[in-house]
Amino acid sequence: MKKVTDLVAELAAPAVERQGCELWDVEYVREAGQWYLRLYLDKEGGVNILDCEAVSREVSDLLDEADPIEASYVFEVSSAGAERALKRPGDFERFMGSPVLVKTYKNRDGRKEFAGTLVGYENGDVLIEMGRETLRFTKAETALVRLRVVF
């Protein structure tokens, strides 16, 4: 049986594309006793509120019709954001050379956050350049990798 996020992604992707956007990610999470279904969008030039509204209306109707989730949930549609999480190999390829923040599950050299430039992605391992040093983070030790906005 497919995961809820996979079912929703398959259902939502054509509607998202009709609105000129790309489906970046789908989340189905429980927070404070309530289930949330979230779609994150991306678009060349940025996602605006009208994009989110149009996608929300169309996908909401599709969700009501297909009814892939039995429990009640809150449905949200938003931009993936400038500091979006990188999850799939394609995400890492697309943003190679970009500033990122890597968060680890356990302390490494006395800390859990490392800011640098994404310079590699090999079989789930993330490589970042920090100054003149290149650090490798294995998939097992990496809690999160997200883009980082530098001012």
Side-chain angles (χ1 to χ4, degrees):
M1 189 167 151
K2 288 187 178 180
K3 294 187 336 185
V4 167
T5 52
D6 293 336
L7 289 169
V8 171
E10 288 175 11
L11 185 71
V16 170
E17 289 170 12
R18 280 193 291 278
Q19 298 301 327
C21 298
E22 171 191 349
L23 183 60
W24 181 262
D25 198 11
V26 177
E27 269 186 352
Y28 184 58
V29 294
R30 189 169 179 88
E31 295 175 358
Q34 175 69 50
W35 283 98
Y36 289 84
L37 175 63
R38 295 185 177 116
L39 301 186
Y40 294 99
L41 310 178
D42 193 21
K43 179 174 130 180
E44 188 69 36
V47 173
N48 63 44
I49 191 74
L50 298 176
D51 296 322
C52 294
E53 180 185 12
V55 168
S56 178
R57 288 181 191 274
E58 187 171 351
V59 173
S60 181
D61 290 345
L62 294 171
L63 289 169
D64 287 345
E65 187 178 309
D67 201 20
I69 303 171
E70 293 181 19
S72 65
Y73 59 90
V74 175
F75 180 53
E76 299 176 346
V77 177
S78 67
S79 165
E83 292 192 336
R84 68 192 64 188
L86 305 180
K87 297 181 179 180
R88 298 169 299 270
D91 300 345
F92 290 92
E93 291 170 18
R94 179 175 173 182
F95 290 102
M96 198 61 60
S98 297
V100 294
L101 180 72
V102 175
K103 293 186 179 186
T104 58
Y105 290 111
K106 296 180 181 178
N107 277 342
R108 179 171 168 178
D109 300 326
R111 60 190 199 173
K112 292 174 127 180
E113 293 188 2
F114 300 83
T117 301
L118 180 63
V119 293
Y121 183 78
E122 301 168 0
N123 300 317
D125 291 359
V126 176
L127 288 84
I128 66 168
E129 193 172 86
M130 290 179 55
R132 297 178 187 204
E133 185 178 14
T134 299
L135 300 177
R136 176 182 292 269
F137 298 90
T138 66
K139 185 175 183 176
E141 72 180 316
T142 305
L144 172 75
V145 179
R146 67 167 175 79
L147 293 177
R148 187 172 53 92
V149 175
V150 179
F151 294 97

